[in-house]
Amino acid sequence: MGRKTTHKFKAEISQLLDILVHSLYTNKEIFLRELVSNASDALEKYRFQSSTADNGADDSLPLEIRIETDEEAGTVTVTDTGVGMTREEVMANIGTIAHSGTAQIAKLAQEGKESLDTLIGRFGVGFYSVYMVADEVTVKTRSMQPDSPVIVWTSDGRTDYKLQELDEDLPRGTSITVQLKDDLKGQFTNTAHIKQVLTKHSNFVNFPIMVGDERVNTVPALWREPKFQIKPEQYAEFYKFLTFDSEDPFDTMHISVDAPVQFNALMFIPPKSTDFLTGMNRDNWGLDLYVRRVLIQHQNKDLLPEYLSFVRGVVDTEDLPLNISRETLQDNVLMRKISSTLTKQVLSHLEKMAADNADRYAEFWKEHGSIFKAGYMDFIHKDRYAKLVRFNSSEQEDADGLTSLADYVSRAREGQKEIYYAYGASREALALNPHLEMFRRKGIEVLYLYEPIDEFAMDTIREFEEFKLVAAEHADPAALDAFESKADEPDVPELNEEQSSTLDKLMARIKEVLGDSVSEVKVSARLSDSPVCLSNPDGHVTSSMDKIMRAVSKDTSIPVKVLEINPDHALVRNMIDIYAKNNDDPFVEQAARQLYESALLLEGYLTDPHALVGRIQSLLTQSSGWYVKAED
């Protein structure tokens, strides 16, 4: 038995250990992650040093990590066959602390502002996390250096530690035995729980982790393997392991980056959307972040923007410290570089998919397009975003058809310099939109928007290949009229001078009837099939965007708009004749209110339809009576 000495901890170590021993609110299982990570580092060092120097290393020992529990003794032991430590290395690595600032740890921990595992990561004191669960810790180690003695380090984590040299002939490596606190013995001597913790945090460590005779980390870290060696079924198996999905991934992205920061990533596009940005599932997204195969953060939300949250997978880097707090992650320059590179890689992958196989991209879009459209706020990648968004269009046969802005431009009429769009709840609703009548007549394509977010996307894109994006209701009728009509124009005789004069008086009467409900009543240049429509007096905000803004501000009032009249519609012509014969005819007022409320109904502003329904029934009763008399 060798000499045994006692050494006092430095003041900051004692203060740190006191915090750890009395910690009640932290995630105690991370001590196992830290010990396994240290063991993995020791094995990596051994592998490197044994390959670069002839130092008589024992190659018969398997490079592995073993974890044993003793329920009766209340201990858990982590053993590695790594590089081991000399007496001086033990004192340097365990007896002192690499960074000052323990007083700051104490302050933050006592204030309860951060969890202790976060603080441990920030200050690089991972080994000491063992004192969250330990009454005493024994480290038995032997360096790979020839003739090194066995060193035993023991401490209860209070004021001092003991060092002893043993004459035993033990193999190289390190064994850490944790004497568990009484209330934690059942938890951390339970091998099922130990395996669960290891699978969560250390599943992809590069060396076998054995619990008893069973290897826990059986799934290989595919992202570290050369792409040309991996078969599709291996990717599918890993995706299912990662996501618990029963189906194969829709697509796979395996990338290795050396600059500006070194990392590997294995990412998947799932076959089905789970719409992570809404409802109960809102926070269930993000890539798993690893540092040298050790899980640092599950579902990190800084590696990809939210509009790419449908992407699942892992990112592993050598360049981050193994213990890094979440707060430091968010502020880390390397993280921002990784995020920027990942975002570009995913967008490039989608661009290639769209260019190579439009049908496959359409399949992707129908599953994940609603999430991707939220990327309208990514101003850095605005042009790439504009190329990737898809919409239904008046050119498609049904609501399942998709077109890109580039496709729209390729079909534009000669001389057309605007991309037109309109919002509606469905194709059927848009078919009744009076603002689109002139577009149908002229054969000009209109993009159909079915979700409110689509309009925000259009407002952000604004221009595409020198084409301005313009809401159909804001289109200049004079500019549209310059295009040759593709459909037959209605054969309606022009109003004579007397009819034109009567129309002016009729519109004045309608304005009088409707009062402040409308700002103006005027002749429309855009209508062909409908008798009237409503338009915004300022010409800037679309009706659908106005409704969104009103919903946000909880404004339930009906906006004051311009009522546009189609002088060629049969109903308006009849009203002209009726008004010419009797300007007090009650039908004029009745029809004015009916047309206005019908227009409100189409725009989605009519909240009380009772008057409209009653008026319709009255008109039907009268007209059916006239019809019966005419038949007689």
Side-chain angles (χ1 to χ4, degrees):
M1 187 74 68
R3 62 191 172 96
K4 188 172 185 179
T5 58
T6 301
H7 304 262
K8 289 283 185 184
F9 283 122
K10 289 188 176 181
E12 66 266 22
I13 292 278
S14 295
Q15 191 177 8
L16 169 67
L17 293 175
D18 184 63
I19 297 168
L20 291 167
V21 168
H22 294 98
S23 172
L24 300 174
Y25 51 84
T26 192
N27 179 13
K28 297 183 186 299
E29 69 185 33
I30 67 157
F31 87 91
L32 197 55
R33 180 194 74 181
E34 297 299 325
L35 296 185
V36 169
S37 297
N38 290 343
S40 176
D41 286 346
L43 288 162
E44 288 286 6
K45 288 176 184 176
Y46 172 80
R47 184 155 61 182
F48 176 75
Q49 293 182 22
S50 63
S51 66
T52 57
D54 184 13
N55 48 27
D58 181 6
D59 292 330
S60 64
L61 279 177
L63 299 182
E64 64 182 13
I65 302 166
R66 285 194 168 271
I67 298 174
E68 297 172 340
T69 61
D70 187 329
E71 188 174 353
E72 187 175 338
T75 61
V76 57
T77 302
V78 179
T79 303
D80 69 72
T81 51
V83 70
M85 290 180 283
T86 63
R87 180 187 181 93
E88 292 72 22
E89 287 171 334
V90 169
M91 294 184 69
N93 294 337
I94 304 179
T96 60
I97 187 168
H99 303 282
S100 62
T102 311
Q104 190 178 354
I105 295 181
K107 181 174 181 293
L108 292 171
Q110 287 165 3
E111 291 175 355
K113 290 183 176 179
E114 298 184 58
S115 65
L116 202 55
D117 51 330
T118 296
L119 297 171
I120 288 167
R122 182 186 307 178
F123 290 93
V125 291
F127 168 77
Y128 299 103
S129 64
V130 74
Y131 284 102
M132 291 187 291
V133 300
D135 275 337
E136 185 176 79
V137 177
T138 301
V139 179
K140 186 180 290 188
T141 183
R142 182 174 185 178
S143 172
M144 68 177 286
Q145 295 180 17
D147 303 322
S148 291
V150 176
I151 304 297
V152 179
W153 179 100
T154 308
S155 177
D156 60 6
R158 291 181 173 85
T159 58
D160 56 36
Y161 63 91
K162 295 176 177 60
L163 276 180
Q164 183 178 5
E165 289 185 14
L166 299 183
D167 296 330
E168 298 178 30
D169 184 22
L170 294 179
R172 64 151 207 280
T174 300
S175 177
I176 301 175
T177 300
V178 180
Q179 182 65 54
L180 295 162
K181 296 178 181 180
D182 288 341
D183 61 332
L184 296 173
K185 287 179 180 178
Q187 183 178 359
F188 289 109
T189 58
N190 183 330
T191 55
H193 180 67
I194 292 287
K195 291 174 185 177
Q196 182 182 4
V197 173
L198 292 169
T199 301
K200 177 181 176 182
H201 293 289
S202 308
N203 199 66
F204 300 107
V205 166
N206 202 25
F207 301 94
I209 303 175
M210 309 296 294
V211 177
D213 295 326
E214 182 183 350
R215 179 172 176 173
V216 176
N217 56 335
T218 56
V219 180
L222 276 191
W223 63 84
R224 292 272 189 154
E225 304 296 327
K227 285 184 279 188
F228 65 87
Q229 293 182 2
I230 304 176
K231 298 176 182 178
E233 50 266 31
Q234 288 177 280
Y235 282 132
E237 182 184 2
F238 185 84
Y239 167 75
K240 292 172 183 176
F241 166 81
L242 183 72
T243 63
F244 305 105
D245 198 342
S246 59
E247 297 184 44
D248 289 353
F250 177 79
D251 217 343
T252 302
M253 292 167 275
H254 188 173
I255 62 175
S256 298
V257 177
D258 293 324
V261 57
Q262 184 181 24
F263 69 90
N264 296 295
L266 181 54
M267 300 179 291
F268 303 95
I269 299 177
K272 300 294 182 185
S273 170
T274 50
D275 201 352
F276 300 116
L277 301 186
T278 60
M280 297 291 289
N281 218 19
R282 182 175 179 83
D283 290 328
N284 187 23
W285 65 277
L287 302 178
D288 290 347
L289 176 63
Y290 287 77
V291 174
R292 298 188 288 281
R293 302 173 188 259
V294 176
L295 180 66
I296 298 304
Q297 188 178 9
H298 178 54
Q299 294 186 334
N300 178 285
K301 294 178 173 51
D302 298 315
L303 288 166
L304 284 177
E306 278 197 12
Y307 72 97
L308 299 180
S309 61
F310 52 83
V311 177
R312 309 296 298 274
V314 301
V315 176
D316 189 5
T317 179
E318 301 281 341
D319 294 338
L320 288 168
L322 188 59
N323 294 308
I324 182 169
S325 73
R326 287 180 174 85
E327 181 181 278
T328 309
L329 275 177
Q330 292 170 345
D331 298 333
N332 193 283
V333 174
L334 291 176
M335 282 289 291
R336 289 197 289 272
K337 289 180 179 178
I338 294 174
S339 174
S340 174
T341 303
L342 283 174
T343 301
K344 290 174 183 175
Q345 290 276 355
V346 174
L347 292 176
S348 295
H349 187 85
L350 294 176
E351 286 167 350
K352 188 175 186 306
M353 186 196 303
D356 294 348
N357 192 332
D359 290 340
R360 183 164 173 77
Y361 186 76
E363 205 177 326
F364 154 79
W365 186 261
K366 286 169 184 175
E367 285 298 331
H368 304 293
S370 59
I371 295 176
F372 184 87
K373 281 187 285 193
Y376 69 87
M377 294 186 69
D378 185 354
F379 300 108
I380 296 174
H381 301 107
K382 174 183 169 183
D383 293 340
R384 303 182 77 172
Y385 171 83
K387 291 176 183 177
L388 288 168
V389 288
R390 297 291 184 268
F391 301 97
N392 192 223
S393 151
S394 58
E395 286 293 302
Q396 262 87 49
E397 293 182 1
D398 54 46
D400 292 329
L402 292 172
T403 190
S404 65
L405 297 179
D407 291 337
Y408 182 105
V409 168
S410 71
R411 295 190 292 262
R413 298 284 298 273
E414 186 177 350
Q416 183 181 341
K417 284 299 177 186
E418 294 178 327
I419 295 173
Y420 297 104
Y421 62 87
Y423 173 83
S426 63
R427 280 181 75 90
E428 291 73 22
L430 286 162
L432 297 173
N433 187 332
H435 295 283
L436 303 187
E437 292 174 5
M438 194 168 195
F439 291 91
R440 287 190 283 269
R441 194 167 73 248
K442 296 293 182 179
I444 296 174
E445 184 175 359
V446 178
L447 296 177
Y448 289 164
L449 317 184
Y450 299 125
E451 297 178 304
I453 195 172
D454 295 340
E455 280 214 85
F456 289 102
M458 293 303 193
D459 280 347
T460 301
I461 298 171
R462 296 198 177 185
E463 286 191 14
F464 183 84
E465 295 182 7
E466 299 181 355
F467 277 65
K468 289 185 177 180
L469 274 63
V470 178
E473 64 185 272
H474 293 159
D476 181 3
L480 294 176
D481 199 44
F483 293 101
E484 181 183 348
S485 295
K486 295 288 186 179
D488 294 336
E489 296 279 0
D491 187 16
V492 180
E494 290 187 12
L495 293 173
N496 58 37
E497 188 175 338
E498 183 179 350
Q499 288 175 316
S500 295
S501 175
T502 304
L503 175 61
D504 291 339
K505 295 173 185 175
L506 174 63
M507 289 193 297
R509 174 62 180 148
I510 292 173
K511 177 66 175 83
E512 181 184 345
V513 170
L514 299 178
D516 293 336
S517 298
V518 295
S519 60
E520 182 184 1
V521 178
K522 68 177 186 179
V523 171
S524 177
R526 73 179 88 233
L527 297 174
S528 57
D529 302 324
S530 300
V532 299
C533 73
L534 291 169
S535 60
N536 284 339
D538 58 12
H540 296 297
V541 179
T542 63
S543 301
S544 49
M545 186 62 77
D546 178 67
K547 284 199 285 289
I548 293 171
M549 292 164 62
R550 286 173 178 272
V552 170
S553 61
K554 298 182 180 178
D555 182 356
T556 57
S557 64
I558 297 174
V560 177
K561 297 195 175 191
V562 175
L563 182 69
E564 296 188 11
I565 302 287
N566 177 9
D568 294 333
H569 194 276
L571 175 55
V572 176
R573 289 290 174 99
N574 290 337
M575 290 178 69
I576 290 172
D577 291 342
I578 292 169
Y579 188 83
K581 292 176 182 175
N582 180 6
N583 55 22
D584 288 327
D585 194 305
F587 179 79
V588 172
E589 180 177 344
Q590 197 175 23
R593 296 190 186 281
Q594 188 69 21
L595 288 172
Y596 169 67
E597 291 188 7
S598 297
L600 281 180
L601 184 64
L602 284 177
E603 297 255 334
Y605 287 112
L606 189 66
T607 55
D608 185 1
H610 291 90
L612 178 139
V613 172
R615 215 178 289 113
I616 289 175
Q617 292 174 347
S618 175
L619 288 169
L620 283 173
T621 301
Q622 293 178 41
S623 61
S624 61
W626 298 329
Y627 181 79
V628 170
K629 289 179 181 177
E631 286 294 306
D632 292 342

